Amino acid sequence: MRFGKTLRTSVYAPWRDKYIDYSKLKSILREDKPDDEDEPWTEEDENRFCDEIFNTQLEKVAHFQEQKMKELRQRVDDAFDKLKELPPTEEGQPKTDIPTERLKELEAELDGITNEVKELQKYSNLNYTGFLKIVKKHDRKRGDRYKIRPMMQVSLSKRPFNSEQGYSPMLNKLSLMYYAIRQHMEEGGPGGAAGGAGGTGGQGGEPYPLDLDSQPETHNGERYTAHKFWVHPDNLLEVKTYILRRLPALVYSQQSAKEADGNEDPTITSLYFDSPSFRLYATKVEREAEASSLRLRWYGQLSAKPDIFLEQKMVHENGSSEERKFAIKEKYVKPFLDGSYKMNKTVAKMERQGQSPEDVAEFRSTASTIQEFIQANKLQPAVRANYVRTAFQNPSDDRVRISIDTDIAFIREDTLDRDRPCRDPRDWHRRDLDNNNMTYPFKDINQSEVSRFPYAVLEIKLKEDSSNRKRPSWIQDLIGSHLVHPSPRFSKFVHGVASLFEDYVNRLPFWLSDLDVDIRKDPQVAFEEEEERKARRAQNEQVVGSFLGTKLGSYKPLKSSPVAKSYLAARVEAETTTTTTGTGTTTAASHQRSPVQPGDENGARGAITAEEEQQQQQQQQRNYGTLSSVFPGFSLSKYARAKRARRDEVVLPDGVVEPTEWIKNSGPLQIEPKVWLANERTFLRWQHICVLLGGLAVSLYTAAEGSKNALAEMMGVGYILVAAFAGAWGYYMLHVRRSMIVQRSGRDFDNMVGPLVIAAALMLALVLNFGFAYKAAFSGSGHHKGGHGSVGVEMLGNSSSLSESSSSSVFIGDLR
């Protein structure tokens, strides 16, 4: 079906004039005219087309979507306010009687909002696909000089109407309200029958709302919650090492490990099936109830005769998924797909091996159901996904299962073009790939038949445990970090079809626009966004928990969280805001207090209550300007003592010992020669000052001794002491700095004590020398001959000290 017809049949009547005018764009593009009869495409025609698609159609769609999204958010908030107005129930107390009619009215209002949200999602998807379709037509027919598809992809990536993240907070809030209403209507009180709107598995056997950022799955009867992310190649190594610190890498079978490249992480091939009309793809993109996918999967190269598994994955109406699979030999694949082989030999073998009748019946039922599914939908191999998988799991604990898929490539396996089919219609797989053992990046096939995914795919599966639904803290940190990009609805099957069969499908997934932007994020920005998201969700859950009389969850922001910062800023502002009255100025906070609502994103403060924090702030104000305000470690308040006690009472886990040296000091010692030479050069400067001062002191003392001048002798002794200190200080600092270099110390190498002592001593000596000489020159005894002689000696010493100190002052700046 052509996209124009799909668009006409899928239009939501109330919004008919808000969709992309696909027919008008085709007419401007002259799509209906044959190429040989077409007029030349001029620059004026190009400007007209670009103006229509970018400035008119794209702006119209983006503006309407933004307005409608804002309106829906307001309606959701209004409905949530109505829920908050209902009488709350204390935890552990019987539920308050609320008229059922009032709850049904609120549920009907939520149904209307939910239906409109679904229509808005379809609206966004249809228009997104339409824009990409029309620019592809343009580039194919008019793209000799002008290529506008890259420009359109960038424009779409900047628009909010095609982002999965835009709908998630609103849908989570709707899910919480549905859960609260249905729990109140269906249960007679706390601990009643489970089965609310969101799923099961909460604390104490109570159901809890479904996290729409994840997807529940069932494996071997166990329920898991799957989280999917993209990882940029620049962050891949850091993500792997982060996981390896907590979980060991899972080693696959020996057969999968004995590949040609010798890599323990096996190459996985998934061969997906679909009908020629891509019906399975359409049901998954449109998220229809009971959407299913079918694939053949094997590890390593097919020439090594690995085990082949035929798997059917079904997504139910409530969002959970289930998987059916069984092993099949390569020689039976084609007969089974054609319907001529019923797996009778495998059933007979199971019976001979003495397996239980229940297992045999289950295998027979699974094989029969999948075969009927293939025949009813006329399925055939459509696309192949090839990737390398690294798995992480504790062998004795399956509560956390993590996999990272890299080197992802999608390859066509269809026979849609009868003249040039990608696969032999008489076979079930491409022999040109499997017989030649081709590997990534598949350069030996037609490059139009392969699409390489630029990122790695991280999938985290957490087992749902009725006794504990809390995720591990390190998983929470990884999910909210800047290292990963959330992509909750990502599917290899959907992406492979969308990237290789764009001309055959009329729906494209949301995440395609994210491929044209840089998914790397600033760590601080990612942290703040995750903290704000947690705070909003905690606030919503607190309201629902208050309404039901249960505790759905709690959230304590970190001290560096923007949530905690905004709370502290509000508290400080409330404490310092003053109100001027006619009689004077009073503190507004002393007259009115805004109560902190439980669960408020700015009100969660961990173990410190609002009263304790107020006392702490008052204590800080009293301590302003004291030693404890400059050095918090000297504080003797009960808060500081409690903090130090918690820090001292850290208990290391079993098997972990306190390190004896820093990680930075564990490697080999590598020091540049200029560092050593700089230390030695400073030492030589000190010794030079020592020699200068020593020479001055000896000369002064010798001259004074011959003239019997006691003052000059004392000055000489003083200079000798200063010279001795300079030599000793230089030698001491040489060894201190050498020790700092060897220990890789991060402290500052400057030391102001020595230079200050030398400068002060010289200054004191010069001042005293000048003072005594001046006094002797103008005293009464200065008129005698002997007095003139002593003055001459003193002045000689003064001039000598001045000259030597002036020459030595040049080096003072280098002594530090």
Side-chain angles (χ1 to χ4, degrees):
M1 182 184 298
R2 292 183 175 272
F3 178 76
K5 184 176 180 181
T6 301
L7 180 62
R8 289 193 298 273
T9 57
S10 303
V11 164
Y12 184 51
W15 305 340
R16 182 175 298 277
D17 58 338
K18 304 299 181 181
Y19 286 79
I20 178 177
D21 197 339
Y22 195 75
S23 300
K24 183 178 181 180
L25 292 173
K26 286 180 62 177
S27 64
I28 297 176
L29 197 58
R30 305 173 194 165
E31 179 68 18
D32 298 333
K33 294 184 178 181
D35 293 339
D36 54 354
E37 299 180 4
D38 199 2
E39 300 176 3
W41 185 257
T42 64
E43 187 172 352
E44 183 180 354
D45 296 329
E46 181 69 20
N47 291 336
R48 181 188 174 197
F49 179 80
C50 291
D51 180 71
E52 179 66 27
I53 191 172
F54 286 103
N55 299 331
T56 303
Q57 299 298 328
L58 184 58
E59 288 296 330
K60 177 184 69 175
V61 172
H63 180 69
F64 174 76
Q65 198 276 342
E66 185 177 357
Q67 273 191 332
K68 185 56 66 174
M69 181 68 78
K70 188 175 181 180
E71 176 188 333
L72 288 173
R73 288 198 191 101
Q74 185 61 45
R75 291 175 60 185
V76 171
D77 292 340
D78 293 342
F80 200 74
D81 290 338
K82 293 180 181 179
L83 183 66
K84 291 166 63 176
E85 293 173 359
L86 297 178
T89 301
E90 296 294 334
E91 186 172 358
Q93 299 297 326
K95 294 188 177 181
T96 307
D97 292 333
I98 301 177
T100 306
E101 294 78 8
R102 190 174 179 183
L103 293 176
K104 288 184 177 180
E105 290 177 2
L106 186 56
E107 184 179 16
E109 185 176 350
L110 296 182
D111 290 340
I113 297 175
T114 304
N115 292 333
E116 198 152 339
V117 170
K118 292 180 180 179
E119 293 296 337
L120 186 60
Q121 284 183 315
K122 293 180 181 178
Y123 169 87
S124 302
N125 187 270
L126 270 174
N127 286 282
Y128 174 76
T129 305
F131 283 118
L132 291 183
K133 290 278 189 181
I134 197 65
V135 296
K136 184 175 182 179
K137 289 180 180 293
H138 169 276
D139 290 356
R140 184 169 51 197
K141 190 171 184 178
R142 310 295 181 188
D144 296 337
R145 293 182 296 169
Y146 311 100
K147 297 284 188 182
I148 65 172
R149 182 181 175 92
M151 188 186 306
M152 175 58 70
Q153 289 177 329
V154 172
S155 298
L156 290 174
S157 65
K158 295 180 179 178
R159 304 286 179 170
F161 73 87
N162 195 51
S163 173
E164 186 76 33
Q165 303 300 323
Y167 293 95
S168 182
M170 185 166 50
L171 293 176
N172 277 320
K173 212 166 190 177
L174 287 170
S175 175
L176 281 168
M177 287 189 284
Y178 271 120
Y179 166 75
I181 293 173
R182 293 178 180 174
Q183 282 294 104
H184 203 286
M185 293 174 61
E186 295 176 4
E187 297 182 2
T200 59
Q203 295 179 351
E206 296 178 0
Y208 58 89
L210 177 66
D211 186 357
L212 297 178
D213 292 334
S214 61
Q215 186 174 355
E217 297 182 359
T218 302
H219 297 278
N220 299 325
E222 301 287 348
R223 288 179 58 86
Y224 288 85
T225 302
H227 304 262
K228 295 183 180 180
F229 306 89
W230 294 352
V231 182
H232 194 278
D234 294 350
N235 299 329
L236 182 58
L237 181 60
E238 187 172 355
V239 171
K240 284 187 175 181
T241 54
Y242 180 85
I243 299 173
L244 279 172
R245 294 189 185 101
R246 282 87 180 172
L247 290 178
L250 183 64
V251 180
Y252 287 82
S253 63
Q254 295 182 357
Q255 180 183 6
S256 62
K258 292 179 181 179
E259 296 188 29
D261 57 0
N263 186 8
E264 292 186 358
D265 296 332
T267 300
I268 300 179
T269 301
S270 295
L271 187 58
Y272 292 98
F273 290 74
D274 208 337
S275 63
S277 60
F278 293 96
R279 183 176 178 276
L280 298 186
Y281 167 85
T283 57
K284 287 187 72 68
V285 171
E286 297 173 8
R287 302 180 188 176
E288 296 183 2
E290 305 301 328
S292 300
S293 61
L294 185 72
R295 68 178 180 183
L296 283 166
R297 178 173 56 88
W298 63 88
Y299 294 86
Q301 297 292 343
L302 194 61
S303 58
K305 305 298 181 182
D307 295 333
I308 301 176
F309 297 90
L310 186 59
E311 303 173 346
Q312 180 187 10
K313 189 174 182 179
M314 298 162 293
V315 180
H316 299 297
E317 187 174 1
N318 60 357
S320 62
S321 64
E322 183 182 356
E323 190 175 73
R324 300 170 182 168
K325 68 176 182 179
F326 64 90
I328 184 173
K329 293 184 177 180
E330 180 181 354
K331 62 181 179 180
Y332 295 138
V333 172
K334 181 62 176 176
F336 182 83
L337 298 178
D338 295 337
S340 57
Y341 178 67
K342 304 294 184 181
M343 302 298 295
N344 294 328
K345 293 184 179 180
T346 305
V347 172
K349 182 179 179 180
M350 294 175 65
E351 293 175 346
R352 289 196 305 270
Q353 292 176 346
Q355 297 191 23
S356 63
E358 293 79 8
D359 294 340
V360 175
E362 182 180 359
F363 176 84
R364 190 193 301 271
S365 174
T366 300
S368 176
T369 302
I370 293 179
Q371 190 172 51
E372 292 175 0
F373 178 73
I374 296 173
Q375 298 298 320
N377 294 277
K378 299 180 180 179
L379 302 182
Q380 55 184 270
V383 63
R384 171 188 300 215
N386 186 275
Y387 48 93
V388 176
R389 170 162 292 182
T390 305
F392 306 89
Q393 181 183 334
N394 191 330
S396 60
D397 188 358
D398 62 347
R399 289 179 296 177
V400 179
R401 301 168 58 184
I402 300 178
S403 64
I404 300 179
D405 298 335
T406 55
D407 295 343
I408 304 175
F410 301 97
I411 306 172
R412 290 182 59 167
E413 293 264 350
D414 63 285
T415 58
L416 298 177
D417 189 351
R418 298 182 181 275
D419 297 329
R420 299 181 61 184
C422 300
R423 166 182 53 84
D424 187 352
R426 295 169 297 179
D427 209 341
W428 62 274
H429 67 104
R430 291 184 60 163
R431 293 193 175 272
D432 59 332
L433 298 178
D434 297 323
N435 293 347
N436 297 322
N437 293 335
M438 288 189 187
T439 58
Y440 187 87
F442 300 98
K443 294 183 178 179
D444 297 332
I445 63 174
N446 190 341
Q447 293 303 292
S448 63
E449 298 174 357
V450 60
S451 173
R452 300 172 187 86
F453 192 68
Y455 306 124
V457 177
L458 169 68
E459 185 173 11
I460 302 175
K461 294 182 179 179
L462 304 176
K463 187 176 181 180
E464 294 185 2
D465 190 353
S466 59
S467 61
N468 183 15
R469 62 178 285 246
K470 187 177 181 180
R471 301 169 182 167
S473 59
W474 67 274
I475 292 288
Q476 290 283 71
D477 294 340
L478 178 60
I479 290 176
S481 71
H482 68 287
L483 301 174
V484 297
H485 176 76
S487 185
R489 301 290 179 177
F490 179 76
S491 166
K492 294 186 181 70
F493 167 55
V494 171
H495 185 83
V497 173
S499 59
L500 294 172
F501 300 93
E502 187 175 338
D503 293 335
Y504 294 88
V505 297
N506 294 325
R507 290 284 197 280
L508 296 176
F510 273 125
W511 61 76
L512 285 183
S513 59
D514 292 339
L515 295 176
D516 302 306
V517 297
D518 191 355
I519 64 173
R520 291 171 293 185
K521 295 177 287 187
D522 180 78
Q524 182 64 27
V525 174
F527 170 73
E528 292 177 357
E529 291 177 352
E530 180 67 13
E531 287 294 307
E532 291 175 358
R533 188 189 68 83
K534 291 179 180 178
R536 288 195 300 268
R537 184 167 180 84
Q539 179 184 8
N540 298 337
E541 289 185 347
Q542 186 69 27
V543 173
V544 174
S546 176
F547 172 70
L548 293 176
T550 59
K551 184 178 181 181
L552 289 181
S554 60
Y555 167 67
K556 298 177 181 179
L558 302 176
K559 292 183 179 180
S560 58
S561 169
V563 176
K565 290 179 181 179
S566 61
Y567 171 74
L568 287 177
R571 295 289 300 177
V572 171
E573 182 180 0
E575 293 291 337
T576 57
T577 301
T578 58
T579 304
T580 303
T581 61
T583 57
T585 304
T586 58
T587 302
S590 62
H591 294 282
Q592 54 183 1
R593 297 287 183 184
S594 299
V596 180
Q597 297 295 335
D600 188 3
E601 62 181 79
N602 295 331
R605 285 294 301 139
I608 300 178
T609 63
E611 291 77 14
E612 291 176 342
E613 185 164 337
Q614 179 184 354
Q615 297 175 9
Q616 184 177 5
Q617 292 176 0
Q618 294 175 356
Q619 180 69 21
Q620 291 175 354
Q621 293 176 358
R622 288 194 297 269
N623 292 338
Y624 181 76
T626 62
L627 184 64
S628 61
S629 65
V630 182
F631 301 102
F634 290 106
S635 177
L636 299 178
S637 66
K638 65 177 182 179
Y639 306 102
R641 292 197 301 269
K643 184 176 180 180
R644 287 195 293 268
R646 288 194 300 269
R647 183 179 58 200
D648 297 337
E649 293 175 359
V650 175
V651 179
L652 296 176
D654 295 338
V656 179
V657 297
E658 185 176 358
T660 57
E661 63 177 351
W662 295 98
I663 296 178
K664 66 182 180 64
N665 298 339
S666 59
L669 183 63
Q670 297 178 351
I671 301 173
E672 296 183 5
K674 65 180 182 180
V675 179
W676 291 105
L677 296 177
N679 190 27
E680 292 180 0
R681 185 167 59 249
T682 306
F683 169 71
L684 293 178
R685 292 280 188 178
W686 276 106
Q687 302 313 305
H688 182 56
I689 293 296
C690 176
V691 172
L692 288 177
L693 292 177
L696 171 65
V698 171
S699 300
L700 182 61
Y701 185 82
T702 303
E705 187 179 11
S707 61
K708 304 300 182 180
N709 191 328
L711 177 61
E713 290 181 2
M714 293 176 59
M715 295 300 298
V717 173
Y719 278 122
I720 290 176
L721 295 177
V722 174
F725 174 81
W729 179 263
Y731 183 79
Y732 168 72
M733 290 306 301
L734 172 69
H735 288 277
V736 168
R737 287 171 176 153
R738 182 185 182 278
S739 176
M740 294 172 66
I741 293 172
V742 172
Q743 295 176 2
R744 302 180 178 91
S745 175
R747 295 181 297 160
D748 196 347
F749 278 58
D750 288 350
N751 196 317
M752 302 294 294
V753 176
L756 288 177
V757 170
I758 297 296
L762 289 176
M763 182 63 67
L764 179 62
L766 291 174
V767 170
L768 292 176
N769 192 6
F770 178 78
F772 288 130
Y774 182 84
K775 181 179 179 181
F778 291 96
S779 65
S781 61
H783 298 286
H784 299 286
K785 184 177 179 179
H788 285 288
S790 64
V791 171
V793 173
E794 290 175 355
M795 294 302 292
L796 175 63
N798 187 16
S799 61
S800 300
S801 63
L802 285 173
S803 62
E804 293 294 341
S805 62
S806 62
S807 63
S808 63
S809 63
V810 178
F811 305 101
I812 295 297
D814 298 330
L815 298 182
R816 292 181 297 163

